[in-house]
Amino acid sequence: MPEAKKKNFYYSEAEVQKMLEEYKRTTIVTDTRLIFKDVKLEEKIVIEVSKIVDAIIMNYNYYVFEPYDDLKQHAILACYTNFLKFNKAKGSSFNFFSLISKISLLNYTTRKKKHRNHQDVEDQINLESKGDFNFNMFLDNLEETIFSIIDENF
């Protein structure tokens, strides 16, 4: 009988759920103000969640659109703000944080796309240059300039 294929678990679901329950139990919030939280436990949870975020960024190739560090920071921040909202009765922590990460990364890259598509001409060509301008040379280099702009932004 062939061996069962091993699943790729990014972390121990039981341990992370236990940490999240402990974090929720020890965190004191009054009137939407944070009074106390367990910082060391919070750091452990962030380390575990970052494993999921790394995998999502790599599997869905989000790093093609934006810098990797910015993507990771944005997704971890989205997960971090939802630590207290986790409910194990509604599903696993892996599903909870992976959905939050995917949605936040999709929104982030969509918002940034608007700015990626609008680059100033002034960034590429010095329009205020003093002196004679060789238009033949400009036209010869126009194709290279356009392709370099496209390569940088897409």
Side-chain angles (χ1 to χ4, degrees), residues 67-119:
Y68 176 80
D69 292 335
D70 292 346
L71 293 167
K72 185 172 180 176
Q73 181 180 16
H74 190 269
I76 289 176
L77 180 62
C79 292
Y80 171 77
T81 57
N82 289 295
F83 281 175
L84 295 175
K85 294 178 183 176
F86 172 72
N87 183 357
K88 71 179 178 181
K90 292 184 178 180
S92 68
S93 64
F94 178 84
N95 288 340
F96 181 73
F97 291 123
S98 64
L99 283 174
I100 290 171
S101 299
K102 289 175 189 175
I103 291 168
S104 70
L105 289 171
L106 182 63
N107 290 337
Y108 181 74
T109 54
T110 303
R111 269 196 329 262
K112 290 292 193 168
K113 181 180 179 184
K114 295 175 185 174
H115 300 292
R116 263 197 318 269
N117 293 337
H118 301 290
Q119 188 173 15

